[in-house]
Amino acid sequence: MKKLLPLALLLAPTVLLAAAEDSVVNWSQIVGEIMAPGVDNPVAGISAGTTPWSTRGGHARVNISTGEVSFGVDGLVLNGGNASGTPGPITKVTGTLVCNPGTSGQKVLNTQEVTLTAQGNADFHGEISGIPATCANPLFLVRIGPSFVGAAGRWLATGAIRTIGD
């Protein structure tokens, strides 16, 4: 037994590190919502923007254990209509983590609003709180910020190519 205790003490940090790494979720791309104008494409009960959006790229990272969040989106612009190639009137977005989508335990958590530039770029580094102990099938959305009354909360882009672990 005395020989096993030092081995257990050596392995304990490895086990804890592995658990911490498994709590990090990455999306290596952010892709725009591409439905036809006026057609809703709800995700986890959240309505989509009313026109198609495209992106040049982006990423998102959430540490489920600590609440640390970072995301960036590049070239989030309307795809069609008179404001095509621009973000139109949308100047603020939020990042949204959805845990347990489509279940009774669904939880929707938002970052603070960040500025969306005239070129459709936005970046956020910060934290969100209230992540449930179980966050199965996590989704990441970029949504219209709450300061845009009338369409606030509609999703414009989503995280794609999800990996879990660092």
Side-chain angles (χ1 to χ4, degrees):
M1 183 68 168
K2 287 183 180 181
K3 290 182 179 180
L4 290 176
L5 184 58
L7 179 60
L9 291 174
L10 285 173
L11 292 176
T14 304
V15 172
L16 292 174
L17 180 60
E21 286 177 357
D22 287 344
S23 69
V24 176
V25 185
N26 289 289
W27 292 267
S28 61
Q29 290 184 348
I30 300 290
V31 296
E33 188 277 318
I34 57 169
M35 294 302 292
V39 176
D40 196 6
N41 180 21
V43 172
I46 300 168
S47 290
T50 58
T51 58
W53 289 78
S54 62
T55 65
R56 191 171 53 252
H59 67 281
R61 181 179 193 275
V62 177
N63 186 317
I64 300 295
S65 296
T66 66
E68 292 177 74
V69 178
S70 65
F71 79 89
V73 62
D74 301 316
L76 178 61
V77 295
L78 290 159
N79 188 2
N82 293 333
S84 189
T86 76
I90 307 302
T91 60
K92 304 269 187 184
V93 294
T94 60
T96 298
L97 172 68
V98 181
C99 292
N100 313 310
T103 71
S104 61
Q106 177 173 302
K107 186 85 172 183
V108 177
L109 303 157
N110 298 308
T111 67
Q112 296 173 343
E113 271 188 321
V114 293
T115 298
L116 185 64
T117 69
Q119 294 76 37
N121 303 329
D123 287 294
F124 176 85
H125 300 280
E127 293 183 7
I128 53 176
S129 60
I131 298 174
T134 300
C135 183
N137 193 28
L139 304 176
F140 191 84
L141 303 172
V142 177
R143 299 168 64 195
I144 298 172
S147 63
F148 192 81
V149 180
R154 290 180 172 267
W155 74 273
L156 308 176
T158 185
I161 310 177
R162 180 183 69 192
T163 56
I164 297 176
D166 216 4

